[in-house]
């Protein structure tokens, strides 16, 4: 029973927190007003008021109407029921004042409670409207009393006390609700302020985090961009070295070009190339780009392959070595602050070392070593290809020399074996020659290895006969007319015949 009554009297709950708050206030106001009106009816009955007293019907009827509004309010009609409630109370109190003591009636004073109630449930606009209506009611009653429209009477002290008690109770309840509403608004404002401060703090932290992330990403992007640009320069150096090795095969010209390219593209102030001697015990500086390196080459700088220095360690072990913060002792390279040495090897055989010096501390990173290792392998291959090219060229020259000697000796033996030294044609039958002709143009063509035009008594033109770049004879043509001049077409014809 108690739970059912509690459920019946409990205020409704709505999804909106603000609507639920207003519903709780209206629920308390309606119940308080119903109890107050019914209490007044009970007091009148206890005091022996006659049943014909209008207050019985007015307060009972108001209580019944408010109960109906209370039930409608629970269905979500808050503002409309509150407005109707204030209207009913205003009409009821106005009628009581009109019927009894006029402008002096406690019903008119009770309208102050309506003003307080309006401020609680209807806000500023509702308060102004109710206050205006209360003022109009006071002036209307005063006018009616002065004009003799109503004939007020003086109420008994007990009735006045009862009405005033009800007014005080109503004002107290409504004032309490107003103060409670203000306190709730203040708490909400404070809570909102605290939430706003917390939100601002979180936003500030978020902004700082975003700014920090942007700075970190910007710095990372800048580092990546610099790294990418440096890597592009490094690969450009690799491509330049590849082009240089494809064009130049002479080591004496190729190695200085390689050191210069590496220095320019990587930004290292000294690049040197050491090559092992034939015994593999001494590393000789063969190329360098810096002035100090050139001076070392002029002094025939070399190192014994051992673990006493970085170049010797790299050649012995076949692995790159880096010195970033060592005490360097290079009289000709005093600006060195970092050094990297990479082996030059073809297959498993180390043929030398690529020695790189920087004037900056900690100048070599792992990425640099990887690219430089690729470059060192390319340089080693270029050196080996250059060596093979030189050996092949020398072997070809020697083969050509031997073949030329053999060919010359074979043609020199031919006259001895056949008894013929050549043929001569003078308009009749070809004539075999038993002895070589001793003519000046023939001697000149053999010595020069090219066609010779000659003129004494008759114009002559001698073209050497070559086989494998060896002169094996001469085609000699003489004109019968002493005044003859060789035309370009005649000379070309003689050379074409000689080539065949």
């Amino acid at each position: 029973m108690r739970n059912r009554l509690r459920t019946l009297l409990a205020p409704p709950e709505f999804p909106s927190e603000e609507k639920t708050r207003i519903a709780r206030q209206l629920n308390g106001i309606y119940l308080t007003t119903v109890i107050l009106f019914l209490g007044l009816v009970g007091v009148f009955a206890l005091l022996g008021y006659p049943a014909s007293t209008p207050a019985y019907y007015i307060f009972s009827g108001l209580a019944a109407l408010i109960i109906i509004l209370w039930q409608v309010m629970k269905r979500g009609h808050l503002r409309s029921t509150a407005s109707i409630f204030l209207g009913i109370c205003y009409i009821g109190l106005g009628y009581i004042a009109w019927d009894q003591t006029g402008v002096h009636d406690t019903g008119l004073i009770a309208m102050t409670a309506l003003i307080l109630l309006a401020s609680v449930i209807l806000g500023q606009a509702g308060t102004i409207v109710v206050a205006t209506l209360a003022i109009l009611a006071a002036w209307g009653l005063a006018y009616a009393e002065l004009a003799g429209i109503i004939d007020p009477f003086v109420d008994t002290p007990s009735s006045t006390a009862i009405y005033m008690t009800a007014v005080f109770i109503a004002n107290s309840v409504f004032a309490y609700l107003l103060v409670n509403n203000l306190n709730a608004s203040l708490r909400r404002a404070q809570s909102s302020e605290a939430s706003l401060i917390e939100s601002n703090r979180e936003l500030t932290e978020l902004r700082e985090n975003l700014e920090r992330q942007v700075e970190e990403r910007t710095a990372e992007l800048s580092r990546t961009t610099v790294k990418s640009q440096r890597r592009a320069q490094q690969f450009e150096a690799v491509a330049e070295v590849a082009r240089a090795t494809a064009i130049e095969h002479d080591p004496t010209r190729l190695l200085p070009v390689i050191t210069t390219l590496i220095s320019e593209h990587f930004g290292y102030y000294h690049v040197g190339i050491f090559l092992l001697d034939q015994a593999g015990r001494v590393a000789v500086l063969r190329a360098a780009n810096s002035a100090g390196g050139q001076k070392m080459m002029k002094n025939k700088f070399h190192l014994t392959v051992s673990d006493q220095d970085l170049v010797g360690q790299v050649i012995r072990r076949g692995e790159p070595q880096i010195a970033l913060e060592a005490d360097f002792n290079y009289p000709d390279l005093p600006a060195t602050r970092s050094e990297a040495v990479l082996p030059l090897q073809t297959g498993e055989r180390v043929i030398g070392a690529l020695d790189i010096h920087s004037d900056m501390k900690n100048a070599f990173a792992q990425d640099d070593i990887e690219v430089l290792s690729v470059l060192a392998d390319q340089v080693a291959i270029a050196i080996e290809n250059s060596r093979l090219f030189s050996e092949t060229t020398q072997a070809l020259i020697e083969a050509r020399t031997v073949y030329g000697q053999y060919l010359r000796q074979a043609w020199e033996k031919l006259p001895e074996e056949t008894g013929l030294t050549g043929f001569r044609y003078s308009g009749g039958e070809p004539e075999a020659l038993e002895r070589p002709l001793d003519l000046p143009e023939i001697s000149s063509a053999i010595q020069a290895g090219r066609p010779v035009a000659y003129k004494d008594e008759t114009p002559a033109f001698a073209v050497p006969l070559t086989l494998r770049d060896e002169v094996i004879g001469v085609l000699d043509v003489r004109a019968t007319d002493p005044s003859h001049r060789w035309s370009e077409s005649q000379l070309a014809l003689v050379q074409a015949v000689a080539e065949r």
Side-chain angles (χ1 to χ4, degrees):
M1 183 65 181
R2 182 181 301 175
N3 293 334
R4 186 176 299 177
L5 182 60
R6 184 181 301 169
T7 303
L8 178 64
L9 299 178
E13 298 287 340
F14 299 102
S16 173
E17 181 179 353
E18 178 66 16
K19 192 173 183 179
T20 300
R21 183 185 64 82
I22 296 175
R24 289 176 180 174
Q25 292 178 347
L26 289 177
N27 190 75
I29 291 171
Y30 292 161
L31 291 177
T32 301
T33 306
V34 169
I35 293 172
L36 183 62
F37 286 168
L38 294 179
L40 288 174
V41 172
V43 170
F44 290 151
L46 290 175
L47 294 177
Y49 278 71
S52 60
T53 303
Y56 282 118
Y57 306 106
I58 294 173
F59 288 122
S60 298
L62 290 175
L65 289 175
I66 292 172
I67 291 174
I68 295 173
L69 291 175
W70 175 43
Q71 295 301 316
V72 174
M73 180 272 297
K74 287 188 174 183
R75 298 180 181 274
H77 304 284
L78 305 183
R79 299 289 180 182
S80 58
T81 57
S83 300
I84 294 172
F85 170 75
L86 290 174
I88 291 173
C89 292
Y90 176 80
I91 293 172
L93 294 175
Y95 176 77
I96 292 174
W98 179 278
D99 183 64
Q100 296 188 19
T101 60
V103 74
H104 304 286
D105 195 79
T106 54
L108 185 61
I109 299 175
M111 289 188 181
T112 56
L114 297 182
I115 297 173
L116 290 175
L117 181 59
S119 66
V120 174
I121 60 179
L122 294 181
Q124 183 178 4
T127 303
I128 294 174
V129 171
V130 174
T132 303
L133 292 176
I135 293 172
L136 292 176
W139 283 101
L141 290 172
Y143 174 78
E145 186 173 340
L146 292 173
I149 298 174
I150 59 174
D151 185 18
F153 62 89
V154 179
D155 206 350
T156 62
S158 58
S159 297
T160 302
I162 293 173
Y163 288 134
M164 293 301 297
T165 300
V167 170
F168 293 153
I169 292 174
N171 283 339
S172 300
V173 171
F174 297 154
Y176 169 78
L177 292 175
L178 178 60
V179 172
N180 189 44
N181 191 33
L182 292 175
N183 289 332
S185 299
L186 180 61
R187 286 193 297 271
R188 287 197 302 274
Q190 292 174 345
S191 177
S192 299
E193 182 182 6
S195 299
L196 182 60
I197 294 174
E198 180 65 20
S199 298
N200 289 335
R201 185 185 64 79
E202 292 177 355
L203 288 174
T204 302
E205 292 180 354
L206 180 60
R207 179 178 57 81
E208 293 176 352
N209 290 334
L210 289 176
E211 290 178 352
R212 184 168 58 254
Q213 291 178 4
V214 169
E215 292 176 357
E216 292 175 354
R217 294 291 177 84
T218 303
E220 182 180 356
L221 181 60
S222 178
R223 289 192 298 269
T224 303
T225 302
V226 172
K227 186 177 180 180
S228 299
Q229 292 175 348
R230 180 173 175 80
R231 183 58 61 89
Q233 293 175 350
Q234 292 173 345
F235 282 117
E236 184 179 354
V238 174
E240 290 286 345
V241 170
R243 282 193 291 269
T245 56
I247 297 172
E248 185 60 63
H249 299 289
D250 185 358
T252 58
R253 292 193 295 267
L254 175 62
L255 297 184
V257 172
I258 291 175
T259 58
T260 302
L261 288 174
I262 295 175
S263 175
E264 291 177 351
H265 287 278
F266 285 81
Y268 304 128
Y269 89 99
H270 170 78
V271 179
I273 295 178
F274 287 85
L275 296 180
L276 289 175
D277 62 358
Q278 293 183 353
R281 297 177 181 176
V282 177
V284 183
L285 182 62
R286 296 297 186 185
N289 71 297
S290 64
Q294 296 292 329
K295 183 178 179 181
M296 294 167 67
M297 288 180 60
K298 188 178 294 184
N299 295 331
K300 300 186 182 303
F301 183 80
H302 62 276
L303 296 169
T304 302
V305 178
S306 65
D307 290 336
Q308 299 300 319
D309 55 80
L310 208 59
V311 174
Q313 294 177 17
V314 170
I315 293 176
R316 283 174 60 87
R317 301 174 185 176
E319 297 178 353
Q321 296 288 337
I322 302 176
L324 299 178
E325 297 181 357
D327 294 329
F328 298 100
N329 185 19
Y330 297 115
D332 296 317
L333 302 172
T336 299
R337 296 295 179 268
S338 302
E339 182 181 6
V341 183
L342 302 102
L344 301 176
Q345 55 186 16
T346 56
E348 299 296 329
R349 185 169 65 92
V350 178
I351 62 174
L354 179 63
D355 185 28
I356 302 174
H357 293 238
S358 175
D359 55 1
M360 299 176 60
K361 292 183 178 181
N362 302 316
F364 300 99
Q366 184 61 35
D367 293 343
D368 298 328
I369 298 303
E370 292 176 358
V371 176
L372 291 173
S373 296
V374 174
L375 193 58
D377 292 339
Q378 191 173 16
V379 172
I381 294 173
I383 294 172
E384 184 67 12
N385 290 341
S386 178
R387 182 185 66 80
L388 293 176
F389 179 79
S390 298
E391 293 178 356
T392 303
T393 303
Q394 183 63 32
L396 182 59
I397 293 173
E398 293 176 356
R400 285 181 175 177
T401 301
V402 172
Y403 182 75
Q405 291 176 354
Y406 170 76
L407 192 62
R408 189 167 49 254
Q409 290 174 2
W411 280 98
E412 287 176 353
K413 290 180 180 180
L414 183 62
E416 297 177 2
E417 294 176 355
T418 61
L420 297 174
T421 60
F423 293 89
R424 180 171 56 187
Y425 176 75
S426 299
E429 293 292 331
E431 178 186 355
L433 299 176
E434 295 180 358
R435 294 192 311 270
L437 296 177
D438 186 13
L439 297 174
E441 69 270 16
I442 295 177
S443 300
S444 298
I446 292 174
Q447 292 177 0
R450 57 181 176 78
V452 174
Y454 189 81
K455 184 176 182 182
D456 50 7
E457 296 179 357
T458 57
F461 184 63
V463 180
L465 302 176
T466 60
L467 179 64
R468 304 291 185 183
D469 296 331
E470 291 291 332
V471 178
I472 60 174
V474 175
L475 176 61
D476 183 54
V477 180
R478 278 181 171 270
T480 57
D481 183 4
S483 62
H484 180 77
R485 298 184 64 180
W486 300 107
S487 65
E488 293 292 334
S489 60
Q490 289 174 336
L491 296 177
L493 178 62
V494 173
Q495 290 186 58
V497 173
E499 289 175 358
R500 291 182 177 275

